[in-house]
Amino acid sequence: MKKITIAIDGFSSCGKSTMAKDLAREIGYIYIDSGAMYRAVTLYSLRNGIFHNGDIDTEKLKAEMNNIHISFRLNPETGKPDTYLNEVNVEKDIRTMEVSSHVSPIAALDFVREALVARQQEMGKEKGIVMDGRDIGTTVFPDAELKVFVTASPEIRAQRRYDELKAKGEEASYDEILENVKQRDYIDQHREVSPLRKADDALLLDNSHLTIAEQKAWLADQFAKVTAEA
Ligand code: DC
């Protein structure tokens, strides 16, 4: 069967990655979490003196972009891809609150986006890819055969993030997470370069009241429809 490109965009913490990852595994496609790439650049910046009291030294980061190598490798234990920064597994380190609260300004920098979008397009040039993020259907793969835009209320998304962190045994405050979710929504939607928006030809999925199994079934259905037409 001819392989297609699948773009899944939407707000933070609305279960995009879970459904994208599961679909990719079931249909034998590559899965790329583009948010992990922005998080890896943020982690690098936090560890390499690019942040000064919350301000970003953009000249230093620009000069160092070529030293930031991000890759994904399948973790045989979880069956899911882990993120590597310069050959070191940073999957856990990029999911902390510290990275979450510094990532939006990094993702708003035009030279960071240009570099990461180019890498993402390279990864998808053979098709057979499911990529999730904010600008996949609008900027990275505007010609994707299947585009989905996922949304859910901020309160529901904060609760999901809270449950996720708790399940991993990490400290979490619901109010802090809700504040972070709302702040990121605002920055993601209002930044100048590639703001978060639904592509005109994307299917809208509000999963506020869907279980993970229901969203997975919905996505599998959309995939079946698109590939039957191709
Ligand atoms: O999906 P996530 O929460 O892991 O994404 C982390 C941040 O990266 C989020 O604040 C928005 C940004 N991002 C982006 O600007 N473009 C993408 N394609 C993916 C993520």
Side-chain angles (χ1 to χ4, degrees), residues 9 35 41 62 81 83 131 136 141 154 161 168 178 204 210-211:
D9 289 302
V41 174
K62 207 182 272 182
T83 311
M131 192 175 289
I136 311 306
F141 300 130
R161 193 98 179 175
K168 286 191 212 155
L178 179 60
L204 181 69
L210 294 185
T211 63

Side-chain angles (χ1 to χ4, degrees), residues 9 12-13 16-17 33-36 38-39 95 100 103-104 107 113 120 132-136 140 161 184 188 191 194:
D9 289 302
S12 67
S13 308
K16 294 186 301 288
S17 315
D33 171 0
S34 67
Y38 291 94
R39 286 172 178 272
R95 311 282 169 197
S100 296
V103 64
S104 286
R113 301 204 70 84
Q120 290 153 6
D132 73 23
R134 303 291 188 285
D135 60 341
I136 311 306
V140 181
R161 193 98 179 175
R184 283 203 289 157
D188 289 348
R191 68 173 172 235
S194 291

Side-chain angles (χ1 to χ4, degrees), residues 17-69:
S17 315
T18 311
M19 66 194 258
K21 236 179 263 182
D22 288 353
L23 176 71
R25 198 172 38 202
E26 273 158 32
I27 63 179
Y29 278 25
I30 295 169
Y31 164 69
I32 300 291
D33 171 0
S34 67
M37 300 172 74
Y38 291 94
R39 286 172 178 272
V41 174
T42 306
L43 182 68
Y44 179 96
S45 302
L46 286 165
R47 288 182 174 171
N48 291 276
I50 285 166
F51 278 101
H52 299 283
N53 300 325
D55 289 335
I56 301 167
D57 183 342
T58 49
E59 286 314 307
K60 184 167 157 69
L61 180 56
K62 207 182 272 182
E64 294 192 25
M65 279 309 287
N66 283 334
N67 304 332
I68 305 179
H69 299 287

Side-chain angles (χ1 to χ4, degrees), residues 64 75 193 225:
E64 294 192 25
N75 178 331
V193 199
K225 274 187 204 153

Side-chain angles (χ1 to χ4, degrees), residues 89-134:
N89 187 331
V90 292
E91 186 55 35
K92 199 155 183 274
D93 306 351
I94 60 168
R95 311 282 169 197
T96 61
M97 271 304 281
E98 196 193 10
V99 170
S100 296
S101 58
H102 286 84
V103 64
S104 286
I106 292 282
L109 296 171
D110 56 355
F111 65 91
V112 171
R113 301 204 70 84
E114 246 167 59
L116 296 191
V117 166
R119 292 181 202 178
Q120 290 153 6
Q121 289 173 334
E122 181 65 29
M123 292 173 185
K125 71 176 196 273
E126 310 285 343
K127 295 189 177 260
I129 192 166
V130 184
M131 192 175 289
D132 73 23
R134 303 291 188 285

